[in-house]
Amino acid sequence: VRSRVRVLGRRVVVVTVVLLQLGLVARGYWSDHKEFAFQMFPESSTWRADVVRVTGDGRRVPIERPWSGYRWDELVRSRGLRYPSIRHHADAGLDNQLAFLDAALDWVADNTPRDTETRYLEARVTSWHNADPPRVGVLRSRVREGAG
Amino acid sequence: MSATAVGAPPPVRGVTARFDDLLGRAVSMRALALLRVLAGPVVLLHLRPFLTDAWDGRIYRDAFYDPYVAWYPEVGGGLYIGLLWLAAAAAVAMSLGFLTRLATATTLAIVAYNLFLSTTHFHNNRAYLLIVLGVLAVAPCGRELSLDAWVRRRRGRPPLDPSAPAWPLWLLRFECAAIYAASGLSKLVDPDWFGGTVTWQRVVRARDELGALPDWAVSVLTDRGFHTGAAKFIVLTELFIAVGLWWRGTRYAAVWVAVAFHVAIEFSASVQVFSYLAVAVLVVWAVPSTRDRVLRLDPTTARQRRLGAVVRGLDWLARFRVEPAPAGSRPEVVDRDGTTIGGAPAVAFALSRLAPTAWFALPALLLPAVRRARRGGSDRSE
């Protein structure tokens, strides 16, 4: 049985999926996470970061030191962020990697309730885009209200 | 003419009618049934790290994760772990073809839910898996190679029609080609990639991992000039696969190159389930018709009986009807177009059309003796 609805439905589904896929491939050229854009092994870029906790009294404490019962390498285990001070390959590209690092700073700031002294986390990032000279940038988490 | 084309201007009507016919044409779902069987273990491999963490008492939200949207529903830890195990069970059922539609839809739903929980869960291989599961969920691919079909036979009920409208198959073909094209294109337009900088730097930085190779190989692989050519070869390989799959004249070559490409990637990079999935999906490029070639074998010869057993066992895409030939005959294949090939070339041809042996047997079709036999068989069939 080849009803009009069925024929139309097929056409709509196929055309929608094809256009959506093409749109997502195009979006991959400007988005950080490039979902469904299928850009494989996009860069040889590398990065490292000195991540510190900035406390209410202005101290800058490296996150390699455990604090208030927390450890960075237990809080942030995925996407190559576990040991940020070691130079790593940005396996899905620098934009993707730094977006994850930025989100990780926010997540740690929001999910460490026993920590009453940290105002915000800060990452001083050195990145090497492919063979380009290194660039240095700073990422900061949200400011933790009431801390310090 | 399809019902929907009525009312459109004539040229548009012709195009839309042909498009509708293409999508609605009944074709064999055998390739998708086979892919369904192969996709189950791939889903289990995909779930393994999540299940391992859950086994150790950890789930995604015990550490950094990054939701796509704040309103995305997050279930309790116990239920989440239960869903992961349910997905694993559903993947096994999907592979076996037990309550196939329900099992495939369940697998798709949970894999999709888990993927979209966090941006950190996203990887290209998981996106591809989701696409494959989506196609399998909408295609009636449980009517063969399934427990459902076996149970139906046992109950004496007639088998369901194993053919169905072609659109899910075409859609998966599009996605498969789009993935190679997107990957190749992104490298083609990036001067660092196409010029060799990216691959050269990756290899140089991984020099310590090349220790098992002889010095000359390490020297070649770390040479900047080598990568100027190698990068172009990689990009053009991806683009060749993307384009070559669409034409019959280049399809076998594209499939062969794709398998070699994925084996090389599997040994040189960490890509989770991508290689297994991508190789499995290549079965959708088989012509969607079954038992339309004939293999004639002499049942009185032990060697030909063994060949018959091999073909019956490995003919996962149901390419051949195996028929008895008169005593003393050589093996003979009759292709779709009526071309008849005999002897060793027939054996090579048959093995080149079986999914598990195709990659090894396809180069044999380039041998002059096999080419001559195929040409001769074609002449005789005219």
Side-chain angles (χ1 to χ4, degrees), chain B residues 140-229:
Chain B
C141 57
R143 296 173 181 177
E144 51 190 328
L145 299 177
S146 67
L147 276 176
D148 290 343
W150 182 79
V151 168
R152 205 176 163 85
R153 271 198 310 276
R154 291 273 296 179
R155 289 179 177 165
R157 295 165 67 185
L160 293 169
D161 183 1
S163 61
W167 67 270
L169 189 66
W170 301 157
L171 213 44
L172 189 51
R173 283 185 174 188
F174 164 77
E175 288 289 349
C176 174
I179 285 164
Y180 294 105
S183 181
L185 186 66
S186 68
K187 295 177 175 78
L188 182 70
V189 299
D190 179 350
D192 282 346
W193 228 107
F194 201 61
T197 301
V198 170
T199 54
W200 175 64
Q201 286 203 320
R202 287 296 296 138
V203 172
V204 167
R205 291 206 186 101
R207 197 181 193 131
D208 293 345
E209 296 164 32
L210 304 177
L213 296 175
D215 288 347
W216 66 265
V218 174
S219 175
V220 168
L221 288 174
T222 53
D223 178 67
R224 180 65 183 87
F226 170 77
H227 287 272
T228 305

XYZ file of all heavy atoms in Angstrom, chain B residues 140-229:
714
model
N 12.919 -2.436 8.512
C 12.478 -3.767 8.940
C 13.579 -4.797 8.670
O 13.499 -5.561 7.715
C 11.238 -4.013 8.082
C 11.456 -3.190 6.856
C 12.296 -2.014 7.237
N 14.596 -4.786 9.522
C 15.778 -5.617 9.250
C 15.825 -6.852 10.141
O 16.879 -7.468 10.284
C 17.047 -4.780 9.379
S 17.227 -3.991 10.970
N 14.681 -7.197 10.734
C 14.668 -8.380 11.592
C 13.952 -9.562 10.974
O 13.655 -10.544 11.646
N 13.680 -9.470 9.673
C 12.903 -10.537 9.031
C 13.768 -11.695 8.563
O 13.275 -12.678 8.050
C 12.118 -9.953 7.852
C 11.090 -8.934 8.313
C 10.440 -8.248 7.139
N 9.463 -7.262 7.598
C 8.790 -6.466 6.779
N 8.983 -6.539 5.474
N 7.931 -5.588 7.259
N 15.062 -11.538 8.651
C 15.983 -12.645 8.346
C 17.203 -12.498 9.248
O 17.402 -11.440 9.865
C 16.376 -12.653 6.862
C 16.870 -11.333 6.353
C 17.025 -11.313 4.836
O 17.346 -12.350 4.246
O 16.835 -10.227 4.258
N 18.003 -13.538 9.315
C 19.148 -13.576 10.230
C 18.705 -13.200 11.652
O 19.359 -12.417 12.337
C 20.251 -12.601 9.764
C 20.882 -12.843 8.396
C 21.887 -11.751 8.060
C 21.557 -14.206 8.328
N 17.577 -13.757 12.072
C 17.047 -13.352 13.379
C 16.338 -14.512 14.070
O 15.822 -15.434 13.416
C 16.058 -12.202 13.203
O 14.912 -12.641 12.508
N 16.306 -14.438 15.380
C 15.528 -15.397 16.159
C 14.039 -15.232 15.860
O 13.285 -16.206 15.860
C 15.776 -15.177 17.654
C 17.015 -15.849 18.255
C 17.158 -15.461 19.715
C 16.926 -17.362 18.116
N 13.642 -13.989 15.623
C 12.230 -13.734 15.294
C 11.799 -14.561 14.082
O 10.731 -15.176 14.081
C 12.013 -12.247 14.985
C 12.151 -11.375 16.224
O 12.091 -11.930 17.343
O 12.328 -10.148 16.072
N 12.648 -14.572 13.038
C 12.328 -15.318 11.824
C 12.332 -16.820 12.113
O 11.492 -17.569 11.609
C 13.330 -14.988 10.719
N 13.283 -17.243 12.958
C 13.386 -18.675 13.316
C 12.133 -19.119 14.083
O 11.558 -20.178 13.801
C 14.645 -18.877 14.163
C 14.896 -20.292 14.558
C 15.439 -21.282 13.789
C 14.591 -20.894 15.828
N 15.508 -22.457 14.512
C 14.995 -22.242 15.756
C 14.041 -20.410 17.011
C 14.846 -23.111 16.836
C 13.894 -21.278 18.083
C 14.288 -22.615 17.986
N 11.718 -18.310 15.036
C 10.522 -18.635 15.828
C 9.305 -18.707 14.904
O 8.467 -19.609 15.024
C 10.318 -17.584 16.944
C 8.938 -17.717 17.582
C 11.410 -17.703 17.989
N 9.245 -17.798 13.982
C 8.119 -17.774 13.034
C 8.073 -19.069 12.209
O 7.016 -19.653 12.013
C 8.296 -16.553 12.120
C 7.028 -16.038 11.514
C 7.274 -14.778 10.707
N 6.129 -14.580 9.857
C 5.016 -13.966 10.233
N 4.924 -13.458 11.437
N 3.993 -13.857 9.418
N 9.259 -19.487 11.759
C 9.336 -20.738 10.997
C 8.914 -21.928 11.855
O 8.180 -22.802 11.415
C 10.778 -20.961 10.509
C 11.079 -20.341 9.156
C 12.339 -20.946 8.521
N 13.491 -20.991 9.391
C 14.315 -19.966 9.577
N 14.116 -18.831 8.965
N 15.357 -20.088 10.376
N 9.406 -21.946 13.108
C 9.083 -23.051 14.013
C 7.587 -23.154 14.263
O 7.063 -24.238 14.473
C 9.785 -22.834 15.373
C 11.280 -22.976 15.313
C 11.725 -24.390 15.494
N 11.382 -24.890 16.813
C 11.638 -26.114 17.235
N 12.222 -26.961 16.438
N 11.298 -26.501 18.452
N 6.925 -21.999 14.244
C 5.479 -22.006 14.479
C 4.685 -22.293 13.209
O 3.451 -22.260 13.229
C 5.038 -20.656 15.055
C 5.508 -20.451 16.491
C 5.075 -19.114 17.006
N 5.466 -18.930 18.401
C 5.486 -17.778 19.030
N 5.115 -16.675 18.383
N 5.851 -17.696 20.284
N 5.400 -22.505 12.109
C 4.756 -22.848 10.861
C 4.105 -21.672 10.155
O 3.303 -21.862 9.238
N 4.477 -20.473 10.577
C 3.899 -19.293 9.919
C 4.763 -18.915 8.721
O 5.983 -19.145 8.714
C 3.808 -18.130 10.914
C 2.841 -18.442 12.054
C 3.012 -17.504 13.209
N 2.617 -16.143 12.861
C 2.759 -15.107 13.683
N 3.300 -15.283 14.875
N 2.370 -13.918 13.324
N 4.151 -18.327 7.693
C 4.939 -17.970 6.505
C 5.950 -16.865 6.831
O 5.656 -16.001 7.663
C 3.875 -17.455 5.517
C 2.727 -17.045 6.366
C 2.751 -17.918 7.582
N 7.114 -16.903 6.200
C 8.116 -15.862 6.479
C 7.626 -14.496 6.002
O 6.876 -14.403 5.026
C 9.343 -16.314 5.690
C 8.815 -17.218 4.637
C 7.571 -17.842 5.170
N 8.069 -13.463 6.716
C 7.740 -12.098 6.281
C 8.603 -11.749 5.073
O 9.715 -12.270 4.922
C 7.998 -11.114 7.413
C 7.077 -11.239 8.627
C 7.603 -10.391 9.782
C 5.658 -10.814 8.256
N 8.086 -10.862 4.252
C 8.822 -10.431 3.061
C 10.133 -9.747 3.487
O 10.091 -8.741 4.201
C 7.941 -9.445 2.274
C 8.603 -9.012 0.977
O 9.729 -9.488 0.696
O 7.993 -8.191 0.256
N 11.287 -10.286 3.082
C 12.553 -9.674 3.508
C 12.919 -8.408 2.731
O 13.959 -7.823 2.976
C 13.578 -10.776 3.264
C 12.993 -11.587 2.161
C 11.499 -11.493 2.275
N 12.052 -8.011 1.800
C 12.327 -6.744 1.094
C 11.412 -5.655 1.641
O 10.353 -5.935 2.197
C 12.124 -6.914 -0.409
O 10.788 -7.268 -0.681
N 11.858 -4.421 1.479
C 11.119 -3.276 2.028
C 11.549 -2.021 1.277
O 12.557 -2.050 0.552
C 11.432 -3.134 3.514
N 10.810 -0.923 1.425
C 11.221 0.320 0.751
C 12.679 0.664 1.052
O 13.145 0.510 2.180
C 10.260 1.355 1.333
C 9.041 0.572 1.661
C 9.541 -0.758 2.143
N 13.349 1.160 0.021
C 14.809 1.272 0.070
C 15.336 2.461 0.859
O 16.528 2.531 1.134
C 15.346 1.342 -1.354
N 14.467 3.395 1.254
C 14.997 4.668 1.759
C 15.949 4.565 2.944
O 16.937 5.317 2.995
C 13.860 5.660 2.026
C 12.931 5.287 3.146
C 11.802 4.549 3.043
C 13.059 5.643 4.522
N 11.211 4.409 4.273
C 11.951 5.074 5.191
C 13.978 6.388 5.242
C 11.770 5.223 6.561
C 13.797 6.540 6.609
C 12.707 5.962 7.253
N 15.745 3.646 3.911
C 16.747 3.590 4.989
C 18.126 3.186 4.483
O 19.146 3.689 4.956
C 16.185 2.537 5.948
C 14.745 2.402 5.617
C 14.654 2.681 4.153
N 18.137 2.302 3.494
C 19.416 1.857 2.928
C 20.121 3.014 2.219
O 21.316 3.249 2.394
C 19.152 0.707 1.957
C 20.368 -0.028 1.419
C 21.087 -0.778 2.524
C 19.955 -1.001 0.319
N 19.346 3.769 1.414
C 19.955 4.909 0.697
C 20.461 5.947 1.700
O 21.507 6.551 1.518
C 18.964 5.589 -0.248
C 18.332 4.763 -1.339
C 17.148 5.044 -1.956
C 18.805 3.561 -1.959
N 16.857 4.083 -2.903
C 17.858 3.165 -2.923
C 19.931 2.764 -1.784
C 18.000 2.026 -3.710
C 20.079 1.616 -2.566
C 19.136 1.270 -3.508
N 19.692 6.125 2.766
C 20.078 7.126 3.774
C 21.395 6.734 4.445
O 22.273 7.582 4.662
C 18.960 7.233 4.814
C 18.695 8.583 5.458
C 18.695 9.721 4.464
C 17.383 8.544 6.233
N 21.526 5.457 4.747
C 22.770 5.024 5.389
C 23.932 5.099 4.398
O 25.056 5.433 4.779
C 22.619 3.608 5.953
C 23.778 3.139 6.842
C 24.117 4.147 7.931
C 23.475 1.793 7.466
N 23.656 4.805 3.124
C 24.711 4.981 2.117
C 25.147 6.445 2.069
O 26.344 6.750 1.990
C 24.222 4.544 0.737
C 24.183 3.043 0.551
C 23.815 2.690 -0.878
N 23.902 1.246 -1.105
C 23.788 0.684 -2.302
N 23.572 1.443 -3.377
N 23.876 -0.614 -2.438
N 24.182 7.337 2.107
C 24.528 8.764 2.089
C 25.386 9.119 3.301
O 26.412 9.798 3.177
C 23.248 9.618 2.073
C 23.495 11.057 2.425
C 24.049 11.924 1.485
C 23.227 11.538 3.686
C 24.318 13.247 1.818
C 23.496 12.865 4.034
C 24.038 13.713 3.086
N 24.966 8.663 4.480
C 25.709 8.998 5.698
C 27.126 8.425 5.639
O 28.089 9.096 6.020
C 24.981 8.462 6.932
C 23.699 9.219 7.275
C 23.966 10.615 7.812
O 25.125 10.938 8.122
O 22.999 11.401 7.898
N 27.222 7.196 5.175
C 28.531 6.547 5.078
C 29.463 7.372 4.175
O 30.590 7.705 4.556
C 28.348 5.135 4.520
S 29.876 4.262 4.179
N 28.976 7.735 2.994
C 29.807 8.507 2.061
C 30.070 9.907 2.615
O 31.168 10.456 2.465
C 29.118 8.592 0.704
N 29.064 10.487 3.280
C 29.213 11.854 3.811
C 30.325 11.912 4.857
O 31.040 12.915 4.957
C 27.892 12.321 4.422
N 30.469 10.846 5.620
C 31.491 10.845 6.670
C 32.892 10.875 6.070
O 33.751 11.657 6.496
C 31.273 9.632 7.601
C 30.070 9.923 8.496
C 32.518 9.303 8.422
C 29.486 8.730 9.187
N 33.117 10.043 5.036
C 34.431 10.082 4.377
C 34.632 11.437 3.685
O 35.724 12.011 3.704
C 34.559 8.954 3.344
C 34.563 7.578 3.964
C 33.457 6.746 3.882
C 35.685 7.118 4.645
C 33.457 5.485 4.455
C 35.694 5.864 5.223
C 34.570 5.047 5.129
O 34.575 3.807 5.703
N 33.569 11.941 3.064
C 33.683 13.211 2.343
C 33.962 14.358 3.313
O 34.819 15.211 3.041
C 32.393 13.477 1.560
N 33.244 14.384 4.435
C 33.432 15.470 5.406
C 34.845 15.443 5.968
O 35.500 16.487 6.107
C 32.409 15.338 6.530
N 35.311 14.240 6.265
C 36.655 14.120 6.817
C 37.704 14.530 5.777
O 38.621 15.303 6.075
C 36.885 12.670 7.271
O 38.160 12.529 7.816
N 37.556 14.027 4.571
C 38.520 14.354 3.518
C 38.497 15.829 3.152
O 39.544 16.463 2.990
N 37.297 16.393 3.078
C 37.171 17.801 2.694
C 37.798 18.730 3.745
O 38.486 19.693 3.408
C 35.687 18.156 2.498
C 35.411 19.546 1.956
C 35.934 19.675 0.532
C 33.908 19.847 1.983
N 37.573 18.401 5.013
C 38.122 19.257 6.071
C 39.648 19.263 6.021
O 40.285 20.267 6.368
C 37.634 18.791 7.445
O 38.187 17.532 7.781
N 40.236 18.172 5.573
C 41.703 18.109 5.460
C 42.176 18.788 4.174
O 43.222 19.427 4.143
C 42.161 16.650 5.475
C 41.880 15.918 6.787
C 42.311 14.466 6.684
C 42.155 13.726 7.993
N 40.776 13.329 8.289
N 41.359 18.642 3.126
C 41.723 19.238 1.831
C 41.807 20.758 1.930
O 42.696 21.382 1.333
C 40.678 18.831 0.790
C 40.887 19.314 -0.644
C 42.074 18.590 -1.285
C 39.637 19.084 -1.482
N 40.900 21.372 2.663
C 40.859 22.837 2.723
C 41.771 23.408 3.812
O 41.863 24.623 3.959
C 39.413 23.354 2.943
C 38.504 22.929 1.803
C 38.842 22.891 4.284
N 42.432 22.531 4.566
C 43.332 22.998 5.620
C 44.768 22.888 5.102
O 45.292 21.784 4.945
C 43.124 22.125 6.864
C 44.041 22.534 8.012
O 44.960 23.352 7.789
O 43.829 22.035 9.136
N 45.425 24.009 4.832
C 46.785 23.940 4.253
C 47.756 23.160 5.138
O 48.648 22.488 4.620
C 47.207 25.417 4.166
C 45.940 26.206 4.262
C 44.962 25.388 5.033
N 47.589 23.246 6.456
C 48.485 22.487 7.342
C 48.306 20.990 7.154
O 49.262 20.221 7.214
C 48.208 22.840 8.812
C 48.821 24.185 9.186
O 49.653 24.694 8.413
O 48.444 24.731 10.247
N 47.049 20.580 6.932
C 46.800 19.140 6.751
C 47.283 18.690 5.374
O 48.072 17.751 5.262
C 45.296 18.824 6.892
C 45.066 17.658 7.800
C 44.563 17.701 9.061
C 45.387 16.287 7.540
N 44.548 16.438 9.603
C 45.042 15.549 8.690
C 45.935 15.606 6.456
C 45.221 14.174 8.788
C 46.124 14.220 6.554
C 45.761 13.530 7.710
N 46.811 19.383 4.350
C 47.125 18.963 2.982
C 48.624 19.082 2.696
O 49.183 18.322 1.908
C 46.320 19.792 1.980
C 46.186 19.139 0.637
C 45.564 17.906 0.496
C 46.687 19.750 -0.504
C 45.443 17.295 -0.747
C 46.568 19.143 -1.748
C 45.941 17.914 -1.864
N 49.283 20.016 3.382
C 50.715 20.210 3.166
C 51.577 19.225 3.947
O 52.791 19.169 3.739
N 50.983 18.473 4.864
C 51.736 17.443 5.585
C 52.183 17.824 6.981
O 52.738 16.994 7.706
N 51.957 19.074 7.387
C 52.421 19.514 8.709
C 51.774 18.699 9.832
O 52.445 18.288 10.780
C 52.080 21.011 8.913
O 52.711 21.752 7.871
C 52.567 21.504 10.258
N 50.470 18.472 9.712
C 49.743 17.818 10.805
C 50.245 16.387 11.024
O 50.585 15.994 12.150
C 48.220 17.829 10.520
C 47.472 16.947 11.516
C 47.687 19.254 10.586
N 50.316 15.602 9.945
C 50.740 14.206 10.125
C 52.211 14.144 10.556
O 52.589 13.332 11.397
C 50.550 13.395 8.825
O 51.230 14.060 7.763
C 49.083 13.258 8.480
N 53.037 15.015 9.986
C 54.451 14.997 10.327
C 54.647 15.292 11.825
O 55.370 14.574 12.519
C 55.195 16.041 9.481
C 56.640 16.191 9.850
C 57.624 15.249 9.739
C 57.251 17.355 10.408
N 58.807 15.753 10.202
C 58.606 17.040 10.605
C 56.795 18.622 10.742
C 59.503 17.962 11.143
C 57.683 19.547 11.273
C 59.024 19.212 11.463
N 53.960 16.317 12.310
C 54.113 16.656 13.731
C 53.600 15.537 14.632
O 54.184 15.244 15.672
C 53.365 17.947 14.033
C 54.072 19.174 13.480
C 53.661 20.424 14.221
O 52.486 20.587 14.545
N 54.598 21.294 14.481
N 52.495 14.917 14.236
C 51.946 13.845 15.066
C 52.942 12.692 15.163
O 53.143 12.120 16.228
C 50.625 13.332 14.490
C 49.457 14.260 14.647
C 49.087 14.501 16.114
N 48.644 13.287 16.780
C 48.989 12.939 18.009
N 49.815 13.699 18.711
N 48.546 11.836 18.539
N 53.547 12.354 14.032
C 54.486 11.233 14.031
C 55.752 11.598 14.801
O 56.253 10.814 15.613
C 54.820 10.799 12.583
C 55.940 9.764 12.579
C 53.582 10.236 11.903
N 56.254 12.790 14.570
C 57.487 13.192 15.258
C 57.278 13.193 16.772
O 58.125 12.731 17.534
C 57.952 14.581 14.753
C 59.032 15.154 15.656
C 58.462 14.477 13.328
N 56.121 13.671 17.216
C 55.863 13.717 18.663
C 55.655 12.319 19.249
O 55.822 12.115 20.444
C 54.645 14.589 18.957
C 54.918 16.048 18.670
C 54.054 16.973 19.498
N 54.278 18.334 19.059
C 53.453 19.003 18.253
N 52.336 18.449 17.856
N 53.732 20.232 17.882
N 55.246 11.393 18.381
C 55.021 10.019 18.862
C 56.224 9.133 18.543
O 56.107 7.910 18.492
C 53.758 9.454 18.233
N 57.374 9.757 18.327
C 58.558 9.013 17.892
C 58.882 7.850 18.839
O 59.287 6.780 18.393
C 59.738 9.996 17.831
C 60.890 9.481 17.036
C 62.029 10.486 17.021
N 62.988 10.106 16.006
C 63.464 10.933 15.104
N 63.083 12.188 15.089
N 64.335 10.525 14.227
N 58.678 8.070 20.128
C 58.993 7.011 21.102
C 58.185 5.746 20.850
O 58.606 4.649 21.209
C 58.709 7.505 22.530
C 59.666 8.611 22.927
O 60.681 8.772 22.217
O 59.395 9.307 23.919
N 56.997 5.914 20.254
C 56.134 4.744 20.022
C 56.515 3.999 18.743
O 55.909 2.989 18.412
C 54.663 5.189 19.929
C 54.148 5.778 21.236
C 52.851 6.557 21.057
O 52.060 6.183 20.179
O 52.656 7.541 21.794
N 57.498 4.523 18.007
C 57.916 3.867 16.755
C 59.071 2.900 16.996
O 59.644 2.365 16.049
C 58.347 4.920 15.726
C 57.333 6.005 15.365
C 57.948 7.011 14.394
C 56.090 5.388 14.741
N 59.387 2.690 18.269
C 60.571 1.898 18.622
C 60.624 0.524 17.983
O 61.703 0.005 17.698
N 59.471 -0.091 17.766
C 59.456 -1.467 17.227
C 59.818 -1.502 15.740
O 60.129 -2.562 15.204
C 58.074 -2.063 17.431
N 59.797 -0.359 15.089
C 60.062 -0.328 13.648
C 61.563 -0.264 13.377
O 62.329 0.265 14.192
C 59.376 0.896 13.026
C 57.847 0.936 13.095
C 57.342 2.267 12.546
C 57.243 -0.213 12.296
N 61.995 -0.775 12.202
C 63.423 -0.653 11.864
C 63.813 0.821 11.657
O 62.956 1.659 11.364
C 63.543 -1.454 10.560
C 62.164 -1.638 10.056
C 61.233 -1.517 11.203
N 65.109 1.080 11.790
C 65.593 2.468 11.727
C 65.192 3.163 10.428
O 64.832 4.338 10.426
C 67.122 2.495 11.877
C 67.525 2.179 13.309
O 66.628 2.201 14.182
O 68.716 1.887 13.540
N 65.296 2.408 9.299
C 64.990 3.053 8.015
C 63.520 3.496 7.963
O 63.200 4.553 7.419
C 65.322 2.132 6.840
C 64.468 0.881 6.753
C 64.772 -0.346 7.241
C 63.172 0.778 6.166
N 63.748 -1.221 7.005
C 62.749 -0.565 6.338
C 62.320 1.667 5.506
C 61.518 -1.026 5.883
C 61.099 1.197 5.043
C 60.697 -0.130 5.239
N 62.630 2.679 8.582
C 61.207 3.037 8.565
C 60.960 4.274 9.431
O 60.200 5.176 9.045
C 60.373 1.867 9.067
N 61.631 4.316 10.585
C 61.490 5.490 11.453
C 61.998 6.732 10.727
O 61.387 7.804 10.776
C 62.260 5.275 12.784
C 62.233 6.545 13.637
C 61.659 4.111 13.554
N 63.111 6.542 10.012
C 63.691 7.667 9.275
C 62.719 8.187 8.207
O 62.534 9.403 8.047
C 65.006 7.203 8.638
O 65.519 8.212 7.831
N 62.078 7.254 7.502
C 61.118 7.659 6.461
C 59.916 8.352 7.098
O 59.475 9.429 6.667
C 60.653 6.429 5.635
C 59.445 6.788 4.764
C 61.791 5.916 4.770
N 59.374 7.723 8.162
C 58.141 8.244 8.762
C 58.324 9.605 9.428
O 57.365 10.355 9.590
C 57.600 7.240 9.796
C 56.997 5.957 9.221
C 56.642 4.980 10.321
C 55.745 6.284 8.394
N 59.543 9.909 9.836
C 59.759 11.206 10.496
C 60.330 12.250 9.524
O 60.664 13.353 9.940
C 60.707 11.050 11.705
O 61.895 10.391 11.272
C 60.040 10.258 12.815
N 60.444 11.868 8.263
C 60.961 12.803 7.263
C 59.844 13.762 6.819
O 58.754 13.326 6.434
C 61.486 12.003 6.059
C 62.001 12.927 4.970
O 63.016 13.585 5.212
O 61.348 13.009 3.904
N 60.121 15.050 6.861
C 59.107 16.044 6.522
C 58.608 15.889 5.082
O 57.410 16.013 4.791
C 59.677 17.465 6.735
C 58.722 18.589 6.405
C 57.537 18.574 7.355
N 56.561 19.610 7.026
C 55.574 19.451 6.138
N 55.450 18.314 5.482
N 54.712 20.409 5.911
N 59.553 15.589 4.173
C 59.190 15.460 2.756
C 58.227 14.308 2.507
O 57.312 14.404 1.667
N 58.397 13.224 3.267
C 57.501 12.071 3.124
C 56.053 12.481 3.399
O 55.125 12.078 2.693
C 57.947 10.966 4.091
C 56.968 9.833 4.206
C 56.872 8.867 3.217
C 56.141 9.730 5.326
C 55.964 7.825 3.334
C 55.228 8.697 5.447
C 55.143 7.739 4.447
N 55.873 13.326 4.398
C 54.507 13.720 4.780
C 53.873 14.690 3.783
O 52.641 14.767 3.718
C 54.500 14.290 6.207
C 54.692 13.218 7.225
N 53.655 12.516 7.758
C 55.829 12.688 7.758
C 54.126 11.615 8.595
N 55.442 11.700 8.609
N 54.695 15.400 3.029
C 54.136 16.272 1.990
C 53.322 15.431 1.009
O 52.223 15.831 0.584
C 55.276 17.004 1.244
O 56.067 17.687 2.206
C 54.728 17.994 0.224
N 53.842 14.235 0.690
C 53.108 13.345 -0.210
C 52.075 12.507 0.520
O 50.954 12.333 0.045
